[in-house]
Amino acid sequence: MNMNVESPKAMANIPMTRMLLLSGEGAQPSEVEALVEFSPRIVISPLDPSRLKEQLAGGGADLIVVNLARLAEAELTVLNDIRALAGGLPLIVISPQLSPEETRRLFSLDLQDWLPKPLEAGDLIDSIQKAMRSRSVTTNRVHAVISAVGGAGATTLAVSMADLAASHFVKKQGSVALFDLDFSLGNCGYTINLMNDFNLGSVASAPRRVDAEFIRVIQKKHPNGFFLYSFKRPELNTELNGYELVLRMLDAVSVEHDHTFLDIPYYETEWREDVFSAVNSFTLVSELHLPAIKHTLDLIERIRALRGAEVPVHVVFNKHETHLFGQHISKKRLKELFEDTPFHFVPQAQGQISQAMDRGVLPSDVSRRSGFLKALTKYMKAVQMSVEVSS
């Protein structure tokens, strides 16, 4: 009879998980201890709110679990202090059900997970195991491809960048994904005839259902080798739990794949800054006219305010056309405007792009030697995306 008991040898190969547990006012440590008491590989140590700096300075923990009876200003202050002192440790918060505003404030702290009470058996163990898997994945990269203005062509570039990464830059054992964050249109799926009719609204009421298995169920794989997550679900933009669902999906997708490209629309969403705060690189897709340039400069300022000067930000002027007597906005003027932010040009390829979209195929399936793909490949190499992908 299989008792599902691990052999001593197998258990010896599983590292101990050192968990710090902080219980807020009105919350009992025993609530959490009872949930993990049958997991001998988890060692719990109490975390004292009055000794945070001292206890977190030693680096002797793998993750932090905070058990709360409520989420008021005092609890948020403690959570902010924990994040400031131990930004690299996974943070799991357990609390009663929260309002949408409380949920937004909680997720702005870059949580690993939030577990609403009452917990079901195994919920906390599953969350801890996912946190440990996520922490072990240190090389996965997320690249944001953002429309600075409507109609700039960011979707076409994002699709082609994922295609180039999968076919040229990634080693055979690597994995590339494209996540379409424009739920109003789901245009990535329509562009390459890989629509996904899964109703994300069916899990919006229970975002905690999003895990690695769920991600594998909803993903589509293109014959060129990259995975696609693209859904036309406009209701997610106003869904009560849409914010949490999107962030949980992003976490799960980025852990699942070595490189994830995000097609981010130009319009505002409630999760936009959370995504900006987490990605590894930015490609801002714009056009060469003054209104688009002004929007692009505003976007750069916003990103720098969030992430500082170190995060890679590049501007790509799409649909660029050369002129016999020079362009109406010179490169010299662009350098004055963009200062330290590099900019690149991708040529107009209306015929190739139109044919690809009409046929529901990738631009590379129409022509692999076009100026459009050559310029995009050159760009990815210039920003060392090929080095990152093949590392």
Side-chain angles (χ1 to χ4, degrees):
M1 181 170 59
N2 181 12
M3 297 293 292
N4 197 29
V5 176
E6 295 176 285
S7 68
K9 183 178 179 180
M11 290 183 65
N13 292 327
I14 303 174
M16 300 290 286
T17 297
R18 301 163 299 174
M19 184 181 100
L20 290 175
L21 172 61
L22 186 149
S23 296
E25 185 177 350
Q28 298 301 318
S30 58
E31 293 177 310
V32 173
E33 293 167 350
L35 295 171
V36 299
E37 62 180 339
F38 297 112
S39 300
R41 310 309 295 175
I42 298 176
V43 178
I44 302 177
S45 299
L47 183 59
D48 186 343
S50 65
R51 299 176 56 227
L52 288 181
K53 189 171 183 180
E54 176 186 345
Q55 289 186 269
L56 296 178
D62 296 307
L63 82 159
I64 301 170
V65 174
V66 178
N67 182 27
L68 301 175
R70 59 183 171 274
L71 186 66
E73 290 302 323
E75 286 76 15
L76 285 168
T77 298
V78 171
L79 291 171
N80 274 295
D81 291 342
I82 290 173
R83 261 292 159 253
L85 293 167
L89 286 182
L91 176 60
I92 298 172
V93 174
I94 304 169
S95 78
Q97 290 287 344
L98 302 176
S99 69
E101 177 59 28
E102 288 172 330
T103 302
R104 280 191 286 272
R105 295 186 71 180
L106 192 61
F107 271 81
S108 69
L109 297 168
D110 190 23
L111 299 186
Q112 172 68 32
D113 205 354
W114 167 60
L115 305 176
K117 297 179 181 181
L119 295 185
E120 296 180 7
D123 281 355
L124 181 57
I125 298 296
D126 289 346
S127 184
I128 291 172
Q129 290 175 344
K130 284 195 291 186
M132 292 299 94
R133 287 196 299 268
S134 299
R135 198 179 183 205
S136 67
V137 180
T138 58
T139 58
N140 291 15
R141 313 285 291 178
V142 181
H143 310 284
V145 183
I146 309 172
S147 292
V149 64
T155 293
T156 302
L157 261 63
V159 167
S160 291
M161 288 170 73
D163 176 30
L164 288 170
S167 59
H168 287 77
F169 299 143
V170 168
K171 294 180 179 180
K172 290 183 179 179
Q173 66 270 26
S175 175
V176 174
L178 172 61
F179 196 158
D180 182 356
L181 290 178
D182 188 350
F183 297 104
S184 294
L185 297 175
N187 222 20
C188 287
Y190 281 93
T191 297
I192 56 176
N193 195 29
L194 205 61
M195 285 77 74
N196 196 324
D197 59 3
F198 183 87
N199 181 12
L200 287 178
S202 64
V203 293
S205 61
R208 290 207 63 253
R209 288 174 54 190
V210 175
D211 56 14
E213 290 185 14
F214 174 81
I215 290 301
R216 290 167 194 151
V217 167
I218 65 172
Q219 66 188 199
K220 298 278 189 178
K221 188 173 184 180
H222 192 274
N224 284 30
F226 62 90
F227 294 85
L228 178 66
Y229 303 86
S230 181
F231 310 87
K232 184 178 181 180
R233 294 294 170 186
E235 65 273 14
L236 276 186
N237 293 326
T238 55
E239 167 65 42
L240 184 64
N241 295 319
Y243 173 90
E244 183 183 349
L245 176 62
V246 170
L247 293 187
R248 286 188 185 274
M249 288 180 64
L250 282 168
D251 282 340
V253 169
S254 62
V255 170
E256 182 75 9
H257 303 283
D258 298 278
H259 282 263
T260 301
F261 292 84
L262 307 179
D263 181 16
I264 303 178
Y266 68 92
Y267 55 80
E268 193 64 35
T269 61
E270 61 178 346
W271 39 258
R272 189 175 176 89
E273 288 201 349
D274 295 272
V275 176
F276 285 4
S277 298
V279 301
N280 299 107
S281 70
F282 292 86
T283 297
L284 312 186
V285 184
S286 188
E287 295 185 77
L288 202 57
H289 55 73
L290 284 177
I293 289 173
K294 290 178 180 178
H295 285 300
T296 307
L297 291 169
D298 290 342
L299 188 53
I300 292 171
E301 183 179 358
R302 183 176 182 180
I303 292 169
R304 292 301 183 202
L306 277 171
R307 300 291 303 275
E310 298 303 317
V311 65
V313 179
H314 294 262
V315 175
V316 172
F317 288 110
N318 195 24
K319 308 176 186 179
H320 177 60
E321 294 181 294
T322 56
H323 299 276
L324 183 61
F325 298 104
Q327 56 196 32
H328 58 287
I329 303 176
S330 67
K331 288 186 179 180
K332 180 180 179 181
R333 179 57 179 152
L334 290 174
K335 288 180 180 179
E336 292 174 353
L337 291 170
F338 288 101
E339 298 178 339
D340 296 331
T341 302
F343 56 88
H344 313 260
F345 299 97
V346 171
Q348 175 74 267
Q350 185 173 350
Q352 180 185 8
I353 302 302
S354 297
Q355 187 177 351
M357 294 179 70
D358 287 342
R359 292 167 52 190
V361 299
L362 290 160
S364 63
D365 295 326
V366 176
S367 173
R368 293 185 177 275
R369 298 185 177 182
S370 66
F372 167 77
L373 286 179
K374 286 180 180 178
L376 197 54
T377 302
K378 181 180 178 182
Y379 163 68
M380 294 178 72
K381 289 181 177 179
V383 301
Q384 298 184 332
M385 205 168 287
S386 58
V387 175
E388 293 176 356
V389 173
S390 60
S391 59

